[in-house]
Amino acid sequence: MTASTIEALDYSVIRNILRSMVNEHWSVSEALDEYDIPEELRGEYEERIEQCFID
């Protein structure tokens, strides 16, 4: 897999996480748990999710 493929997959997962957060009323932490995001990647995912809420 190339770096761009991995990045595209990450954004696909983040879109799904955001959708689940809205539909299931999950916190970021709950959503990351449900999607089995490894501890070492959680900080990166949290930052990307936060960017979705910043104007």
Side-chain angles (χ1 to χ4, degrees):
M1 275 191 203
T2 65
S4 61
T5 302
I6 292 170
E7 187 170 331
L9 290 173
D10 284 346
Y11 282 113
S12 176
V13 170
I14 289 171
R15 279 194 312 273
N16 289 336
I17 288 172
L18 291 169
R19 189 175 300 118
S20 293
M21 287 173 63
V22 170
N23 292 338
E24 304 295 332
H25 306 284
W26 288 339
S27 67
V28 173
S29 179
E30 289 172 315
L32 294 177
D33 286 345
E34 288 294 323
Y35 279 82
D36 295 323
I37 303 300
E39 276 300 318
E40 61 270 9
L41 297 177
R42 285 180 179 245
E44 180 181 336
Y45 274 78
E46 288 171 355
E47 287 176 22
R48 289 183 180 190
I49 290 168
E50 181 181 339
Q51 290 300 311
C52 296
F53 295 98
I54 297 175
D55 290 332

